[in-house]
Amino acid sequence: MSYFDYTDLKGFVHDEELVKLLCYDKPFEELLELFTKDDFLQVDEKMSIPFFAEIRDYRGAVEVDDPESKWLVKVIRGNDQIMTEMAMIVYFIDFFTQTLSVPVVLTQINGILYRATKMIMKTEQLSGANYTVYPELQEQLLLDMINRWIACDEDRNPNNYLIRYNSKNQNLILAIDFGNSDLLAEEIKIKGLAKQFGWKRTEKTQYLTPLKSEHFMTYSMDFFDQRFRYFQQLTGDQLLGLGQKVLRFQEQKDQYSQQIAKNVMRRVGYVHKYFSAKIPAVREELASHSTMGQTLQNM
């Protein structure tokens, strides 16, 4: 079966400017060290920011060592801290598993905690695109759903994704807004259906994915293994270390880190086992359809 190769993100993103913008010019460990360093950002009151961000109390900020790298920052209030910490862990899991998403971090600037997200310009909302027709749009969403299931992110509507084009006129789907992820729940909140491929959610907020369950059945397991192969390289020790770094301002850092590592490892096994049981190993007859779709997109 023919499909786009999403395992080489630098190759897929293509443009050096976009590679740097989305932080794929740095290895995982270097990026984690940068994003968990106090005052790596500084607020820039003169920076122009989008109107939607301004009315939500965001301000502009730049990286101290790279002023061309622009961010949106917002002072942490109430439950924002734990939600942002969970979102940050999810972002780094995305990064590790070769998933296109926009950086979101909890950071300290001049002794004040902020939620910070990379400012990505020249984007469109996914809600305005026909993402069930074009293969590269649908395929990115199919793979992204694996991440959201494992993170127990039960609110993934089209507004949680941005589209950015590269110089090859390819559509890059960027996942955003991971604040609803639940990494601390011990139970399996999203369960696979027994009779046919699908899922049952504990909560009823919007979608787990903008796609319908039948879209998944048009692809074989070798397609989904593009993403599962990276998840299966995650170890409990890596996740524990990630939690310890991200949760550095959290009083329950040790307890939360251990619980998150245990939960994610268990969910990876559960979701992969479910996909393997429901998705055919090979679907040779669909090769011509996918190839035709890619050809149309290239044209």
Side-chain angles (χ1 to χ4, degrees), residues 154-171:
E154 300 190 65
D155 189 5
R156 300 305 301 178
N157 63 64
N159 293 327
N160 297 129
Y161 299 93
L162 299 175
I163 296 178
R164 172 71 188 259
Y165 296 89
N166 64 11
S167 61
K168 295 167 66 176
N169 205 34
Q170 285 178 302
N171 301 278

Side-chain angles (χ1 to χ4, degrees), residues 191-207:
K191 296 182 179 180
L193 300 180
K195 292 185 178 181
Q196 71 280 339
F197 182 85
W199 48 88
K200 180 179 180 181
R201 298 175 296 126
T202 302
E203 299 175 12
K204 301 298 179 185
T205 54
Q206 301 296 325
Y207 318 95

Side-chain angles (χ1 to χ4, degrees), residues 139-150:
E139 288 173 359
Q140 290 176 76
L141 288 173
L142 289 170
L143 293 175
D144 183 82
M145 191 266 218
I146 295 171
N147 298 59
R148 308 315 147 207
W149 190 333
I150 290 169

Side-chain angles (χ1 to χ4, degrees), residues 96-97 227-236 238 265 268:
F96 185 89
T97 58
R227 184 60 48 80
F228 281 119
R229 275 195 294 271
Y230 288 103
F231 269 106
Q232 290 171 330
Q233 291 174 28
L234 276 173
T235 67
Q238 287 174 318
M265 292 299 293
V268 169

Side-chain angles (χ1 to χ4, degrees), residues 178-243:
F178 313 119
N180 289 315
S181 300
D182 189 346
L183 299 177
L184 292 171
E186 294 187 45
E187 74 275 15
I188 300 294
K189 293 178 65 177
I190 305 171
K191 296 182 179 180
L193 300 180
K195 292 185 178 181
Q196 71 280 339
F197 182 85
W199 48 88
K200 180 179 180 181
R201 298 175 296 126
T202 302
E203 299 175 12
K204 301 298 179 185
T205 54
Q206 301 296 325
Y207 318 95
L208 174 58
T209 171
L211 298 175
K212 296 181 179 179
S213 58
E214 52 261 34
H215 291 123
F216 290 79
M217 299 306 295
T218 62
Y219 283 80
S220 56
M221 194 61 197
D222 67 322
F223 169 77
F224 295 106
D225 275 336
Q226 288 184 95
R227 184 60 48 80
F228 281 119
R229 275 195 294 271
Y230 288 103
F231 269 106
Q232 290 171 330
Q233 291 174 28
L234 276 173
T235 67
D237 286 342
Q238 287 174 318
L239 290 164
L240 186 61
L242 173 61

Side-chain angles (χ1 to χ4, degrees), residues 11-277:
F12 183 62
V13 172
H14 182 65
D15 301 341
E16 288 187 14
E17 173 200 356
L18 284 176
V19 168
K20 182 178 179 182
L21 181 65
L22 296 170
C23 303
Y24 295 114
D25 59 329
K26 294 180 174 63
F28 181 94
E29 293 79 8
E30 181 181 336
L31 194 66
L32 182 59
E33 286 299 320
L34 172 63
F35 286 175
T36 53
K37 184 173 68 173
D38 291 345
D39 297 307
F40 86 94
L41 294 176
Q42 63 181 15
V43 175
D44 183 352
E45 299 290 359
K46 297 180 180 179
M47 192 175 116
S48 177
I49 66 174
F51 177 71
F52 77 87
E54 189 173 350
I55 63 175
R56 289 171 173 80
D57 297 326
Y58 280 94
R59 302 154 71 188
V62 298
E63 291 185 24
V64 174
D65 295 332
D66 182 12
E68 294 301 312
S69 187
K70 302 182 184 301
W71 291 69
L72 298 171
V73 299
K74 182 178 182 179
V75 175
I76 289 292
R77 294 185 177 89
N79 292 328
D80 288 349
Q81 179 175 341
I82 188 66
M83 291 175 66
T84 305
E85 288 165 340
M86 296 301 106
M88 185 173 177
I89 292 173
V90 168
Y91 165 71
F92 272 102
I93 291 174
D94 281 2
F95 188 92
F96 185 89
T97 58
Q98 299 290 291
T99 304
L100 279 172
S101 59
V102 176
V104 56
V105 304
L106 179 77
T107 191
Q108 186 168 250
I109 305 174
N110 295 329
I112 300 172
L113 289 181
Y114 286 85
R115 174 189 175 90
T117 186
K118 201 81 180 280
M119 189 163 78
I120 311 292
M121 304 300 289
K122 302 177 184 177
T123 60
E124 300 175 7
Q125 287 277 347
L126 178 66
S127 53
N130 198 342
Y131 50 83
T132 61
V133 171
Y134 295 107
E136 70 187 48
L137 290 177
Q138 179 171 289
E139 288 173 359
Q140 290 176 76
L141 288 173
L142 289 170
L143 293 175
D144 183 82
M145 191 266 218
I146 295 171
N147 298 59
R148 308 315 147 207
W149 190 333
I150 290 169
C152 278
D153 189 343
E154 300 190 65
D155 189 5
R156 300 305 301 178
N157 63 64
N159 293 327
N160 297 129
Y161 299 93
L162 299 175
I163 296 178
R164 172 71 188 259
Y165 296 89
N166 64 11
S167 61
K168 295 167 66 176
N169 205 34
Q170 285 178 302
N171 301 278
L172 309 179
I173 293 186
L174 311 178
I176 60 174
D177 298 336
F178 313 119
N180 289 315
S181 300
D182 189 346
L183 299 177
L184 292 171
E186 294 187 45
E187 74 275 15
I188 300 294
K189 293 178 65 177
I190 305 171
K191 296 182 179 180
L193 300 180
K195 292 185 178 181
Q196 71 280 339
F197 182 85
W199 48 88
K200 180 179 180 181
R201 298 175 296 126
T202 302
E203 299 175 12
K204 301 298 179 185
T205 54
Q206 301 296 325
Y207 318 95
L208 174 58
T209 171
L211 298 175
K212 296 181 179 179
S213 58
E214 52 261 34
H215 291 123
F216 290 79
M217 299 306 295
T218 62
Y219 283 80
S220 56
M221 194 61 197
D222 67 322
F223 169 77
F224 295 106
D225 275 336
Q226 288 184 95
R227 184 60 48 80
F228 281 119
R229 275 195 294 271
Y230 288 103
F231 269 106
Q232 290 171 330
Q233 291 174 28
L234 276 173
T235 67
D237 286 342
Q238 287 174 318
L239 290 164
L240 186 61
L242 173 61
Q244 293 278 345
K245 294 283 286 186
V246 171
L247 297 166
R248 64 196 188 282
F249 301 113
Q250 185 63 246
E251 290 183 4
Q252 295 174 281
K253 176 180 68 174
D254 294 337
Q255 177 187 341
Y256 284 173
S257 297
Q258 291 173 5
Q259 189 63 52
I260 289 169
K262 177 183 175 182
N263 289 346
V264 172
M265 292 299 293
R266 186 158 53 98
R267 293 176 192 175
V268 169
Y270 175 83
V271 177
H272 181 259
K273 183 178 179 180
Y274 182 75
F275 267 72
S276 299

